[in-house]
Amino acid sequence: MARPGHGRSRSSLKEEDEDEEGEDPVDALISRTGCMEQHRALQECMAQGQDWRRCQPQVRAFGQCMAQRRQRPP
């Protein structure tokens, strides 16, 4: 719990620090796979519907892209 006079919790300070550091590490990793377009489509669907079951086409597309990436040699 925050001390009196402080309006921020420790977790909110950590989130601000991450925002200031730049790109999210997960986004950076996905970007390197070449599957960012599929990932963003899945994120948009999830944001709109709030139910992953309604986003099965996007889940499959992202999964297929990632599977193809794993099959390619580095």
Side-chain angles (χ1 to χ4, degrees):
M1 185 170 171
R3 291 180 282 165
H6 291 93
R8 298 180 184 176
S9 68
R10 189 175 283 244
S11 63
S12 69
L13 290 173
K14 182 179 177 188
E15 290 170 6
E16 285 180 21
D17 288 345
E18 289 173 0
D19 289 342
E20 291 174 9
E21 291 175 6
E23 187 176 25
D24 176 52
V26 174
D27 283 346
L29 288 170
I30 293 171
S31 182
R32 283 184 236 141
T33 67
C35 299
M36 185 54 82
E37 183 179 328
Q38 293 85 352
H39 177 67
R40 293 224 193 267
L42 177 55
Q43 285 182 320
E44 288 177 24
C45 181
M46 288 293 298
Q48 291 173 359
Q50 301 290 316
D51 185 353
W52 66 270
R53 294 171 292 189
R54 294 182 181 180
C55 301
Q56 288 306 293
Q58 293 86 349
V59 170
R60 279 190 223 94
F62 181 59
Q64 288 172 350
C65 183
M66 292 298 288
Q68 288 174 354
R69 169 68 174 136
R70 279 181 247 144
Q71 291 174 357
R72 284 186 255 153

